[in-house]
Amino acid sequence: MLLADACAFMGGVAFFDGSTVYPVLLARLGAGDALIGFTRLVQTLGYTLPALVGSHYIHGMRYHKPYLLWTCAIGRVLLLTLPPALLLGGLHPSPLILVWVVASTGLFWLLDGACAVSWFDIVAKCIYERVRGRFFGVMQSIGGLFAIGAGLLVQAILAPRGLPYPANFALLAALWCVGALLSQLFLAMIREPAGDVDEEADKPGLAQYLRQIGPLFRTYPRLRRLVAARVLLDGAYMAAPFYVLFAQRSLHADLRTVGLYTMLLSAGRLAAGPFWGWLADRIGPGFAVRWVAVAVVAAPLAALGAAYGLPWLMPAVFVLMGATGDGLWMVLSTALLESVEARDRPLAIGVATMCQTPSAVYGPIGGLLTQSTSYPTVFALSAVAGLVGSVAAWRIGANQLAVAHTAQETEPAAAN
């Protein structure tokens, strides 16, 4: 059910993809590049800020599923307001409609971030460590397959002979709602194993809980390196909302091409998922992080090539975005889950998620720079940020925790 939940979620989100459909809709509603970049901040903050609060709330609980279900349900009910809002207000765009679209999607990601720690901890309890990479890889591939189907529908709906505006975007929002509701149904069917907690221990207050962050980083130095690499690599996504706008405004791509780009994102996800999962399980998540980082840098470099006389590179940008968007999240999550003890896992997930908060500024910076300079300038800065992140990723070593466990297991055998 975890796999079905993730695939329904990913397939639904593809109808309103943040790198293709969503920026085009916001531009149609009258948003400038600065506001479009700001939505990236809203999405990132929504996902990262509530993580530690959610981690503290579930501290000491054997079962997280009830909290997960209720939190997700609230955010997904808000999505149901998008289709009627677009139908009623899309023909005559106003600041109110624009604010509501940004707010409802922002609240969705806020509540999704609040329950992300619970979802990851349930994955860690249900999926054995030696196959987690393949689980995430299969999840990415099947989700990518559904997303390709979503891309075909996006292409047909946004085509010149498709539905007229705003019915086309309202239908895409409704299809996102269908994916979210199916995800909710599959979540309800999950059978969660009991967690290993000390029910007699007093639950610490939030301030006392947060004071454990420093000792956590000292205990698990690899966690610190993983967090640093993620924040730096996120800088390569500064240009993510602007690739499709560049293609429209500079390469004269039409709305149908936007649907094609959505398909290419999904194709990249589908093709790369099994490879990243195999790499993480067979060679190690730390090694997989390094090569995902290389692919992250390749996307803005391809966009730069498209801006300077090689427009045929533009499809490669979206394939690489699809391959690395979920791939980076997947291999870093696998590395994190294997790097900490089970008792420290919820706090570690919450801390790692919260530490991505600085990444929220990349979107507004990209938006302001595109309005004051040019798209190629932002592509170049994204490539530089990704290169710095890649250097940090290549410094992530093997899992010392696993090495320590292996040593503990071999010492008694040697003694015998």
Side-chain angles (χ1 to χ4, degrees):
M1 287 301 111
L2 280 167
L3 185 61
D5 154 55
C7 293
F9 181 89
M10 294 163 67
V13 168
F15 288 107
F16 236 68
D17 184 80
S19 299
T20 53
V21 177
Y22 192 49
V24 171
L25 171 62
L26 293 179
R28 186 67 184 262
L29 291 174
D33 285 349
L35 179 57
I36 293 172
F38 175 77
T39 61
R40 190 84 178 180
L41 178 145
V42 171
Q43 180 175 336
T44 303
L45 289 182
Y47 186 76
T48 59
L49 286 182
L52 273 177
V53 177
S55 175
H56 175 256
Y57 184 84
I58 64 174
H59 180 79
M61 292 184 178
R62 284 191 179 275
Y63 298 98
H64 304 163
K65 181 178 168 181
Y67 165 76
L68 176 65
L69 285 175
W70 279 107
T71 308
C72 286
I74 297 169
R76 292 169 190 193
V77 165
L78 291 171
L79 284 186
L80 299 176
T81 65
L82 270 181
L86 290 171
L87 280 175
L88 295 174
L91 282 175
H92 305 286
S94 67
L96 180 62
I97 294 298
L98 185 59
V99 167
W100 183 250
V101 170
V102 173
S104 56
T105 53
L107 286 170
F108 170 83
W109 290 113
L110 178 74
L111 291 161
D112 188 67
C115 62
V117 177
S118 295
W119 189 86
F120 273 112
D121 198 58
I122 291 173
V123 168
K125 289 193 287 185
C126 293
I127 309 298
Y128 291 115
E129 180 178 323
R130 66 179 181 273
V131 295
R132 281 182 196 145
R134 276 166 283 183
F135 166 78
F136 284 122
V138 170
M139 182 187 78
Q140 182 177 335
S141 293
I142 298 177
L145 188 62
F146 281 111
I148 286 177
L152 286 169
L153 286 173
V154 170
Q155 187 178 20
I157 292 167
L158 295 182
R161 295 183 181 180
L163 287 176
Y165 175 83
N168 50 4
F169 285 100
L171 177 57
L172 293 178
L175 291 170
W176 183 13
C177 292
V178 171
L181 292 176
L182 285 174
S183 170
Q184 187 74 16
L185 175 64
F186 292 130
L187 279 177
M189 297 170 67
I190 291 172
R191 294 183 178 180
E192 178 192 3
D196 184 14
V197 298
D198 185 359
E199 293 183 329
E200 296 182 359
D202 294 332
K203 181 175 181 176
L206 181 58
Q208 182 182 355
Y209 188 72
L210 296 179
R211 283 196 290 270
Q212 299 176 21
I213 295 175
L216 181 78
F217 277 132
R218 288 192 292 271
T219 304
Y220 305 109
R222 191 174 190 242
L223 174 64
R224 185 171 63 246
R225 290 192 288 272
L226 287 168
V227 167
R230 177 60 190 266
V231 172
L232 293 169
L233 284 168
D234 279 346
Y237 294 93
M238 182 191 310
F242 306 109
Y243 293 135
V244 67
L245 298 178
F246 166 76
Q248 276 196 308
R249 295 168 182 175
S250 299
L251 303 181
H252 310 294
D254 57 18
L255 281 178
R256 187 175 181 179
T257 306
V258 173
L260 174 63
Y261 289 156
T262 302
M263 289 175 56
L264 291 174
L265 275 168
S266 304
R269 181 182 297 129
L270 174 66
F275 176 70
W276 300 137
W278 174 84
L279 205 61
D281 284 341
R282 294 297 300 272
I283 305 179
F287 187 84
V289 169
R290 297 175 180 181
W291 288 103
V292 172
V294 172
V296 166
V297 181
L301 289 176
L304 271 176
Y308 289 105
L310 300 172
W312 52 269
L313 283 175
M314 207 62 210
V317 174
F318 293 94
V319 172
L320 288 165
M321 287 279 290
T324 60
D326 287 338
L328 183 62
W329 165 83
M330 180 183 82
V331 296
L332 285 169
S333 299
T334 307
L336 185 152
L337 293 177
E338 74 160 13
S339 299
V340 297
E341 299 281 4
R343 66 177 182 273
D344 297 320
R345 195 165 52 217
L347 177 59
I349 296 170
V351 168
T353 306
M354 186 271 296
C355 286
Q356 293 176 40
T357 301
S359 303
V361 303
Y362 292 133
I365 290 173
L368 291 171
L369 285 173
T370 55
Q371 289 197 168
S372 59
T373 58
S374 65
Y375 288 122
T377 300
V378 178
F379 299 164
L381 290 173
S382 297
V384 171
L387 185 61
V388 174
S390 295
V391 172
W394 278 77
R395 298 181 65 187
I396 295 173
N399 179 24
Q400 291 90 348
L401 184 63
V403 172
H405 285 170
T406 303
Q408 290 173 4
E409 292 171 358
T410 55
E411 282 175 5
N416 291 332

